[in-house]
Amino acid sequence: NRYTFCIFFVAVISATPLGKIMWQKLVVYFSQTFRQVVSYIMVMMLLGICMMYVMTSTYNPFIYFQF
């Protein structure tokens, strides 16, 4: 399953110091303004993905239709 593999890949990178090492290497090449913009974009994308996941997994407008 592609979705499970992506989640596992992100979890492995987040659980190891690899993410921090990669960020420190990027700090050398890009300005602080660019890094801030990328950080904000990543946070907003994560928020959007989480909101989409919650909406698709739990939202049912006809939840009380059967009663």
Side-chain angles (χ1 to χ4, degrees), residues 40-67:
Y40 291 141
I41 290 172
M42 289 174 61
V43 167
M44 294 307 287
M45 285 176 44
L46 183 61
L47 177 65
I49 290 170
C50 290
M51 288 174 59
M52 286 189 290
Y53 181 74
V54 167
M55 287 189 302
T56 59
S57 66
T58 60
Y59 181 69
N60 185 0
F62 302 106
I63 191 167
Y64 299 110
F65 184 69
Q66 296 176 2
F67 297 115

Side-chain angles (χ1 to χ4, degrees), residues 29-45:
Y29 296 111
F30 298 109
S31 67
Q32 182 177 0
T33 306
F34 181 76
R35 291 191 316 259
Q36 272 187 318
V37 169
V38 169
S39 295
Y40 291 141
I41 290 172
M42 289 174 61
V43 167
M44 294 307 287
M45 285 176 44

Side-chain angles (χ1 to χ4, degrees), residues 1-12 53:
N1 185 334
R2 185 179 290 176
Y3 176 74
T4 306
F5 178 74
C6 289
I7 296 295
F8 182 73
F9 182 73
V10 170
V12 167
Y53 181 74

Side-chain angles (χ1 to χ4, degrees), residues 12-39:
V12 167
I13 289 178
S14 300
T16 62
L18 184 61
K20 185 176 181 180
I21 291 169
M22 289 171 41
W23 183 256
Q24 288 174 349
K25 289 186 184 251
L26 289 175
V27 167
V28 175
Y29 296 111
F30 298 109
S31 67
Q32 182 177 0
T33 306
F34 181 76
R35 291 191 316 259
Q36 272 187 318
V37 169
V38 169
S39 295

